[in-house]
Amino acid sequence: MQTDQLSLTFSALADPTRRAILAQLSGGEASVTDLAKPFLKDMSLPAITKHLKVLERAGLITKTKEAQWRPCKLNAEALKDATEWMEQYRIFWEESLDRLDEYLKTVTSQNNKKNKPTKKGKKS
Amino acid sequence: MQTDQLSLTFSALADPTRRAILAQLSGGEASVTDLAKPFLKDMSLPAITKHLKVLERAGLITKTKEAQWRPCKLNAEALKDATEWMEQYRIFWEESLDRLDEYLKTVTSQNNKKNKPTKKGKKS
């Protein structure tokens, strides 16, 4: 079965090392050696290279071909579709927050009516 | 190794069937039987139940406990952190679009200077 692009993107993001590599690349191009450095105490270079391949396959990073050291580069545009997919659900969690807000407003206004404020009782 | 929440979320989203289930649930609560219907021609009920379990484990859906038929419910708040994680990269793809825009403006203005417009030459 061929994997669709959205699944490839989300799957590539489903790993803390790969997300950390993307974060590193958001600071600019880097060589594989530089990218690997922070992870080498926890994993092998082949394991890191494998992570880079997953990111490359998902289109999230590209290897610049011009320079001899072939630096890796973030390709943030590849996150656009995935972000848009997620954004369509924003309305649902914002709705729940709105409902909570509405509820709190009702409760506050009911309380205010109950304990009708006097000028003396007001706090500055 | 314990899987972190962001990885769980992205991993749950990395499948077209699971994304389709979430889309179905964005229309409201549904029973497992109803949710399974559109997929039963391509996969077995246990396969669908497995997908539901992945979504539940990631916190993206919850099974309502009140009703006897235990409907599934979308829990969109679980997408909030993942969306925020992705949003931090928005600046990068928007930057590339801005740079393209800037480049096009420069090219246009250079062309305009080169072919200094005469009233005659102007196109309406």
Side-chain angles (χ1 to χ4, degrees):
Chain A
M1 201 185 79
Q2 233 203 331
T3 313
D4 62 289
Q5 186 52 50
L6 264 185
S7 300
L8 266 180
T9 310
F10 284 130
S11 180
L13 297 178
D15 182 277
T17 308
R18 291 198 290 267
R19 291 196 303 275
I21 290 173
L22 291 180
Q24 250 185 293
L25 286 175
S26 68
E29 294 184 356
S31 69
V32 174
T33 322
D34 282 340
L35 283 175
K37 246 176 229 162
F39 308 108
L40 282 175
K41 60 185 190 299
D42 298 313
M43 60 183 84
S44 66
L45 188 61
I48 297 164
T49 312
K50 213 176 152 190
H51 280 312
L52 289 174
K53 273 193 186 138
V54 176
L55 289 170
E56 214 183 341
R57 205 176 139 230
L60 288 163
I61 65 169
T62 38
K63 276 193 183 146
T64 313
K65 273 169 193 159
E66 295 89 46
Q68 209 171 11
W69 55 293
R70 302 197 69 203
C72 297
K73 209 183 122 188
L74 176 70
N75 184 26
E77 289 93 328
L79 288 170
K80 212 179 157 212
D81 287 346
T83 309
E84 270 163 20
W85 183 90
M86 304 194 77
E87 282 291 342
Q88 66 181 321
Y89 290 91
R90 181 182 286 276
I91 187 173
F92 294 101
W93 77 69
E94 281 181 349
E95 238 173 37
S96 349
L97 291 176
D98 280 352
R99 272 201 300 271
L100 178 67
D101 196 46
E102 206 52 52
Y103 170 75
L104 290 174
K105 268 185 203 153
T106 319
V107 172
T108 316
S109 110
Q110 277 170 354
N111 275 350
N112 281 352
K113 271 180 204 157
K114 250 190 255 169
N115 323 313
K116 213 165 186 177
T118 59
K119 269 183 186 167
K120 233 180 160 181
K122 261 191 184 166
K123 277 181 188 171
S124 63
Chain B
M1 202 186 78
Q2 230 200 335
T3 312
D4 64 289
Q5 186 52 52
L6 263 186
S7 299
L8 268 179
T9 310
F10 284 131
S11 180
L13 298 178
D15 182 277
T17 308
R18 292 199 288 270
R19 291 196 303 275
I21 291 173
L22 292 179
Q24 251 185 293
L25 286 174
S26 69
E29 293 184 358
S31 69
V32 174
T33 322
D34 282 341
L35 282 175
K37 245 176 232 163
F39 308 108
L40 283 174
K41 60 183 190 300
D42 298 314
M43 61 183 84
S44 66
L45 189 60
I48 297 163
T49 313
K50 214 175 150 192
H51 280 312
L52 288 173
K53 273 191 187 139
V54 176
L55 289 170
E56 215 181 341
R57 204 175 141 232
L60 289 164
I61 65 169
T62 38
K63 274 194 183 146
T64 313
K65 273 170 194 157
E66 296 90 45
Q68 212 173 8
W69 55 293
R70 304 196 66 206
C72 296
K73 210 182 120 187
L74 177 70
N75 183 26
E77 289 94 329
L79 287 171
K80 212 179 157 212
D81 287 346
T83 309
E84 270 162 19
W85 184 89
M86 303 194 75
E87 280 293 340
Q88 67 181 319
Y89 289 92
R90 181 182 286 277
I91 189 175
F92 293 101
W93 77 69
E94 281 180 349
E95 238 173 36
S96 348
L97 290 177
D98 280 352
R99 271 202 300 271
L100 179 67
D101 196 44
E102 206 53 52
Y103 169 74
L104 290 176
K105 267 184 203 153
T106 319
V107 171
T108 316
S109 110
Q110 278 171 350
N111 275 349
N112 282 351
K113 272 180 205 158
K114 246 188 259 172
N115 322 315
K116 213 167 185 173
T118 56
K119 270 181 185 168
K120 231 180 163 182
K122 258 189 187 169
K123 276 180 189 170
S124 63

